[in-house]
Amino acid sequence: MHRTYSMRASRAPTASQIQNPPPPTSSTKSGRFFGRGGLGHALRRNAAGAFGPDLAKKLSQLVKMEKNVMRSLELVAKERMEVAQQLSLWGESCDEDVSDVTDKLGVLLYEIGELEDQYVDRYDQYRITVKSIRNIEASVQPSRDRKQKITDQIAQLKYKEPNSPKIVVLEQELVRAEAESLVAEAQLSNITREKIKAAYSYQFDALREHCEKVAIIAGYGKHLLELIDDTPVTPGETRPAYDGYEASKAIIQDCEDSLTNWVTQNAAVSSKLSTRARTLSQRRRNNINARTEGQMQGHGHDLSAQDAPLNDRDVWVPADKHEYGDEEEEDDEEDDLDAPSHSAVDTETSLNGEHRGRNHDPVVA
């Protein structure tokens, strides 16, 4: 009796998906070793910062905490769909108006669950991008350690053997180590700024789309509630026959059309800066642009080619070849960042090192 558990029998791409193709399936949806929540969450969070290079420990912990967030979101999405189905099952034995409306509300709630599941996939793009910063931090640590080690050796020799010929050799090595460290630190600084902007752009774009679509569904859900006749009846009185089947179906179809045609340009909520905030932000952007133009015109150091080695495939080592590489194995094993890592000048910016595919399976309830 008008039972439809999916708003789209064939999952045709929406306007938003055509404009911004969906990312691969989240890596947290693979096999479970530690289970959901509880012990697994705590173990991942605490173990992430216990191993690996000192420079990358804090960001390693952040990456693992974000994985916990994603798995919680995934669980919420799954249970939301189950709740939607249960609501429809309960309403089936009620009066006709309540039965029809609760069934259609189940359709909307199920769609929210699917949106949450899609949000997890997009959220994973943010986490992977942050993880690439962590990988660069881990690769910079050896150059720092080498420079510090040579500095300590020189200080020790000057104290014990001031006239030792090894001091001159070590000082020359220190000059080379400092030059290598300068390159690595500059690349870390540049890549960190680029990746942090990209990562949170992924997150905020995904969050904006998710919230806008949930708000659309909530609005149509309120329209469905208007179809229930809540006028009190006296004992023995019979309610009029329900005639809202076509109306409820039309509301569901309108909701589907609104979700299908939604694009970022049509977002209902906009974030407007105050005059003061807008002026200060514009001043900051102008300063950045002026500094960039000055470098291009030769006023100061031109750093435009500083990261040229990043695209040199003969010099750089892909991230998936690092000894501390991809952590997203089927058993959810933790990052092995305490393994020997490479210098930043031996590391590739394509640090995600993850190839995952998305399976587009129609949802059939």
mmCIF file of all heavy atoms in Angstrom, residues 148-173:
data_model
loop_
_atom_site.group_PDB
_atom_site.id
_atom_site.type_symbol
_atom_site.label_atom_id
_atom_site.label_comp_id
_atom_site.label_asym_id
_atom_site.label_seq_id
_atom_site.Cartn_x
_atom_site.Cartn_y
_atom_site.Cartn_z
ATOM 1 N N GLN A 148 70.864 17.858 13.947
ATOM 2 C CA GLN A 148 71.088 17.915 15.390
ATOM 3 C C GLN A 148 72.202 16.967 15.816
ATOM 4 O O GLN A 148 73.022 17.290 16.683
ATOM 5 C CB GLN A 148 69.789 17.561 16.118
ATOM 6 C CG GLN A 148 69.864 17.698 17.635
ATOM 7 C CD GLN A 148 70.169 19.123 18.059
ATOM 8 O OE1 GLN A 148 69.593 20.080 17.535
ATOM 9 N NE2 GLN A 148 71.101 19.289 18.998
ATOM 10 N N LYS A 149 72.261 15.793 15.179
ATOM 11 C CA LYS A 149 73.291 14.821 15.524
ATOM 12 C C LYS A 149 74.684 15.361 15.195
ATOM 13 O O LYS A 149 75.631 15.229 15.998
ATOM 14 C CB LYS A 149 73.042 13.515 14.772
ATOM 15 C CG LYS A 149 74.061 12.420 15.072
ATOM 16 C CD LYS A 149 73.741 11.159 14.275
ATOM 17 C CE LYS A 149 74.788 10.084 14.563
ATOM 18 N NZ LYS A 149 74.515 8.843 13.797
ATOM 19 N N ILE A 150 74.824 15.969 14.009
ATOM 20 C CA ILE A 150 76.129 16.532 13.627
ATOM 21 C C ILE A 150 76.512 17.675 14.553
ATOM 22 O O ILE A 150 77.674 17.800 14.971
ATOM 23 C CB ILE A 150 76.089 17.007 12.158
ATOM 24 C CG1 ILE A 150 75.856 15.816 11.223
ATOM 25 C CG2 ILE A 150 77.390 17.715 11.787
ATOM 26 C CD1 ILE A 150 75.642 16.212 9.774
ATOM 27 N N THR A 151 75.534 18.507 14.910
ATOM 28 C CA THR A 151 75.809 19.614 15.836
ATOM 29 C C THR A 151 76.296 19.095 17.180
ATOM 30 O O THR A 151 77.254 19.635 17.769
ATOM 31 C CB THR A 151 74.533 20.462 16.029
ATOM 32 O OG1 THR A 151 74.093 20.952 14.758
ATOM 33 C CG2 THR A 151 74.800 21.636 16.953
ATOM 34 N N ASP A 152 75.688 18.041 17.678
ATOM 35 C CA ASP A 152 76.112 17.458 18.957
ATOM 36 C C ASP A 152 77.519 16.854 18.856
ATOM 37 O O ASP A 152 78.327 16.977 19.787
ATOM 38 C CB ASP A 152 75.115 16.383 19.392
ATOM 39 C CG ASP A 152 73.756 16.956 19.729
ATOM 40 O OD1 ASP A 152 73.676 18.180 19.962
ATOM 41 O OD2 ASP A 152 72.772 16.177 19.754
ATOM 42 N N GLN A 153 77.814 16.213 17.729
ATOM 43 C CA GLN A 153 79.144 15.629 17.549
ATOM 44 C C GLN A 153 80.227 16.708 17.523
ATOM 45 O O GLN A 153 81.299 16.530 18.112
ATOM 46 C CB GLN A 153 79.183 14.813 16.250
ATOM 47 C CG GLN A 153 78.394 13.516 16.315
ATOM 48 C CD GLN A 153 78.388 12.775 14.990
ATOM 49 O OE1 GLN A 153 78.607 13.378 13.931
ATOM 50 N NE2 GLN A 153 78.132 11.483 15.044
ATOM 51 N N ILE A 154 79.940 17.814 16.850
ATOM 52 C CA ILE A 154 80.909 18.915 16.802
ATOM 53 C C ILE A 154 81.148 19.483 18.197
ATOM 54 O O ILE A 154 82.296 19.728 18.614
ATOM 55 C CB ILE A 154 80.417 20.015 15.832
ATOM 56 C CG1 ILE A 154 80.436 19.502 14.394
ATOM 57 C CG2 ILE A 154 81.280 21.263 15.959
ATOM 58 C CD1 ILE A 154 79.829 20.461 13.390
ATOM 59 N N ALA A 155 80.060 19.688 18.945
ATOM 60 C CA ALA A 155 80.204 20.239 20.301
ATOM 61 C C ALA A 155 81.002 19.291 21.194
ATOM 62 O O ALA A 155 81.838 19.720 22.005
ATOM 63 C CB ALA A 155 78.823 20.493 20.890
ATOM 64 N N GLN A 156 80.770 17.987 21.038
ATOM 65 C CA GLN A 156 81.479 17.008 21.854
ATOM 66 C C GLN A 156 82.972 16.978 21.522
ATOM 67 O O GLN A 156 83.827 16.927 22.417
ATOM 68 C CB GLN A 156 80.864 15.625 21.639
ATOM 69 C CG GLN A 156 81.408 14.547 22.571
ATOM 70 C CD GLN A 156 80.712 13.211 22.370
ATOM 71 O OE1 GLN A 156 80.128 12.980 21.333
ATOM 72 N NE2 GLN A 156 80.787 12.355 23.373
ATOM 73 N N LEU A 157 83.300 17.040 20.212
ATOM 74 C CA LEU A 157 84.708 17.033 19.821
ATOM 75 C C LEU A 157 85.426 18.307 20.265
ATOM 76 O O LEU A 157 86.589 18.261 20.689
ATOM 77 C CB LEU A 157 84.815 16.876 18.299
ATOM 78 C CG LEU A 157 84.655 15.446 17.755
ATOM 79 C CD1 LEU A 157 84.673 15.447 16.237
ATOM 80 C CD2 LEU A 157 85.769 14.550 18.291
ATOM 81 N N LYS A 158 84.751 19.443 20.139
ATOM 82 C CA LYS A 158 85.377 20.697 20.563
ATOM 83 C C LYS A 158 85.666 20.694 22.065
ATOM 84 O O LYS A 158 86.606 21.359 22.523
ATOM 85 C CB LYS A 158 84.477 21.882 20.206
ATOM 86 C CG LYS A 158 84.485 22.229 18.721
ATOM 87 C CD LYS A 158 83.645 23.461 18.430
ATOM 88 C CE LYS A 158 83.733 23.861 16.957
ATOM 89 N NZ LYS A 158 82.911 25.060 16.650
ATOM 90 N N TYR A 159 84.877 19.951 22.807
ATOM 91 C CA TYR A 159 85.092 19.872 24.255
ATOM 92 C C TYR A 159 86.213 18.892 24.587
ATOM 93 O O TYR A 159 87.083 19.178 25.425
ATOM 94 C CB TYR A 159 83.800 19.444 24.947
ATOM 95 C CG TYR A 159 83.929 19.281 26.443
ATOM 96 C CD1 TYR A 159 84.000 20.399 27.275
ATOM 97 C CD2 TYR A 159 83.986 18.005 27.015
ATOM 98 C CE1 TYR A 159 84.121 20.253 28.644
ATOM 99 C CE2 TYR A 159 84.110 17.854 28.383
ATOM 100 C CZ TYR A 159 84.167 18.980 29.198
ATOM 101 O OH TYR A 159 84.307 18.833 30.554
ATOM 102 N N LYS A 160 86.226 17.733 23.898
ATOM 103 C CA LYS A 160 87.209 16.702 24.229
ATOM 104 C C LYS A 160 88.503 16.842 23.429
ATOM 105 O O LYS A 160 89.603 16.655 23.954
ATOM 106 C CB LYS A 160 86.610 15.314 23.988
ATOM 107 C CG LYS A 160 85.498 14.947 24.953
ATOM 108 C CD LYS A 160 85.006 13.525 24.710
ATOM 109 C CE LYS A 160 83.953 13.118 25.721
ATOM 110 N NZ LYS A 160 83.483 11.721 25.510
ATOM 111 N N GLU A 161 88.388 17.108 22.125
ATOM 112 C CA GLU A 161 89.569 17.211 21.260
ATOM 113 C C GLU A 161 89.465 18.472 20.408
ATOM 114 O O GLU A 161 89.075 18.410 19.239
ATOM 115 C CB GLU A 161 89.674 15.972 20.363
ATOM 116 C CG GLU A 161 89.710 14.646 21.111
ATOM 117 C CD GLU A 161 89.735 13.457 20.158
ATOM 118 O OE1 GLU A 161 90.533 13.498 19.194
ATOM 119 O OE2 GLU A 161 88.944 12.521 20.373
ATOM 120 N N PRO A 162 89.782 19.612 20.955
ATOM 121 C CA PRO A 162 89.620 20.880 20.220
ATOM 122 C C PRO A 162 90.390 20.929 18.909
ATOM 123 O O PRO A 162 89.990 21.664 17.986
ATOM 124 C CB PRO A 162 90.138 21.923 21.214
ATOM 125 C CG PRO A 162 90.047 21.268 22.546
ATOM 126 C CD PRO A 162 90.299 19.818 22.310
ATOM 127 N N ASN A 163 91.482 20.198 18.791
ATOM 128 C CA ASN A 163 92.308 20.247 17.582
ATOM 129 C C ASN A 163 92.048 19.073 16.636
ATOM 130 O O ASN A 163 92.834 18.849 15.704
ATOM 131 C CB ASN A 163 93.790 20.262 17.972
ATOM 132 C CG ASN A 163 94.137 21.485 18.815
ATOM 133 O OD1 ASN A 163 93.617 22.572 18.568
ATOM 134 N ND2 ASN A 163 95.007 21.306 19.808
ATOM 135 N N SER A 164 91.013 18.343 16.844
ATOM 136 C CA SER A 164 90.729 17.168 16.022
ATOM 137 C C SER A 164 90.408 17.573 14.578
ATOM 138 O O SER A 164 89.617 18.506 14.348
ATOM 139 C CB SER A 164 89.561 16.385 16.611
ATOM 140 O OG SER A 164 89.195 15.323 15.736
ATOM 141 N N PRO A 165 91.007 16.900 13.579
ATOM 142 C CA PRO A 165 90.704 17.218 12.167
ATOM 143 C C PRO A 165 89.269 16.836 11.780
ATOM 144 O O PRO A 165 88.763 17.298 10.763
ATOM 145 C CB PRO A 165 91.721 16.371 11.396
ATOM 146 C CG PRO A 165 92.072 15.247 12.327
ATOM 147 C CD PRO A 165 92.006 15.822 13.704
ATOM 148 N N LYS A 166 88.603 16.005 12.595
ATOM 149 C CA LYS A 166 87.225 15.617 12.289
ATOM 150 C C LYS A 166 86.256 16.801 12.392
ATOM 151 O O LYS A 166 85.183 16.782 11.789
ATOM 152 C CB LYS A 166 86.761 14.508 13.229
ATOM 153 C CG LYS A 166 87.467 13.170 13.019
ATOM 154 C CD LYS A 166 86.886 12.114 13.949
ATOM 155 C CE LYS A 166 87.541 10.758 13.724
ATOM 156 N NZ LYS A 166 86.988 9.722 14.634
ATOM 157 N N ILE A 167 86.666 17.818 13.161
ATOM 158 C CA ILE A 167 85.771 18.965 13.357
ATOM 159 C C ILE A 167 85.499 19.655 12.035
ATOM 160 O O ILE A 167 84.354 20.020 11.717
ATOM 161 C CB ILE A 167 86.368 19.942 14.385
ATOM 162 C CG1 ILE A 167 86.433 19.279 15.767
ATOM 163 C CG2 ILE A 167 85.546 21.227 14.430
ATOM 164 C CD1 ILE A 167 87.045 20.160 16.840
ATOM 165 N N VAL A 168 86.553 19.823 11.223
ATOM 166 C CA VAL A 168 86.383 20.495 9.929
ATOM 167 C C VAL A 168 85.461 19.678 9.023
ATOM 168 O O VAL A 168 84.571 20.226 8.347
ATOM 169 C CB VAL A 168 87.756 20.696 9.258
ATOM 170 C CG1 VAL A 168 87.576 21.328 7.873
ATOM 171 C CG2 VAL A 168 88.642 21.563 10.124
ATOM 172 N N VAL A 169 85.677 18.351 9.023
ATOM 173 C CA VAL A 169 84.833 17.482 8.190
ATOM 174 C C VAL A 169 83.376 17.550 8.642
ATOM 175 O O VAL A 169 82.446 17.660 7.824
ATOM 176 C CB VAL A 169 85.340 16.028 8.259
ATOM 177 C CG1 VAL A 169 84.418 15.118 7.457
ATOM 178 C CG2 VAL A 169 86.762 15.937 7.743
ATOM 179 N N LEU A 170 83.146 17.515 9.937
ATOM 180 C CA LEU A 170 81.781 17.578 10.464
ATOM 181 C C LEU A 170 81.133 18.928 10.182
ATOM 182 O O LEU A 170 79.925 19.001 9.916
ATOM 183 C CB LEU A 170 81.792 17.298 11.968
ATOM 184 C CG LEU A 170 82.064 15.839 12.372
ATOM 185 C CD1 LEU A 170 82.200 15.726 13.895
ATOM 186 C CD2 LEU A 170 80.947 14.923 11.877
ATOM 187 N N GLU A 171 81.916 19.991 10.255
ATOM 188 C CA GLU A 171 81.351 21.311 9.961
ATOM 189 C C GLU A 171 80.917 21.406 8.507
ATOM 190 O O GLU A 171 79.914 22.051 8.191
ATOM 191 C CB GLU A 171 82.377 22.388 10.294
ATOM 192 C CG GLU A 171 82.547 22.613 11.795
ATOM 193 C CD GLU A 171 83.599 23.655 12.112
ATOM 194 O OE1 GLU A 171 84.438 23.939 11.225
ATOM 195 O OE2 GLU A 171 83.585 24.179 13.247
ATOM 196 N N GLN A 172 81.666 20.766 7.600
ATOM 197 C CA GLN A 172 81.258 20.744 6.204
ATOM 198 C C GLN A 172 79.966 19.921 6.032
ATOM 199 O O GLN A 172 79.069 20.305 5.269
ATOM 200 C CB GLN A 172 82.379 20.159 5.343
ATOM 201 C CG GLN A 172 83.615 21.052 5.266
ATOM 202 C CD GLN A 172 84.769 20.385 4.532
ATOM 203 O OE1 GLN A 172 84.744 19.181 4.274
ATOM 204 N NE2 GLN A 172 85.786 21.177 4.199
ATOM 205 N N GLU A 173 79.895 18.819 6.742
ATOM 206 C CA GLU A 173 78.668 18.018 6.701
ATOM 207 C C GLU A 173 77.488 18.794 7.269
ATOM 208 O O GLU A 173 76.352 18.685 6.785
ATOM 209 C CB GLU A 173 78.861 16.714 7.484
ATOM 210 C CG GLU A 173 79.766 15.712 6.815
ATOM 211 C CD GLU A 173 79.780 14.378 7.543
ATOM 212 O OE1 GLU A 173 78.872 14.161 8.378
ATOM 213 O OE2 GLU A 173 80.687 13.566 7.290
#
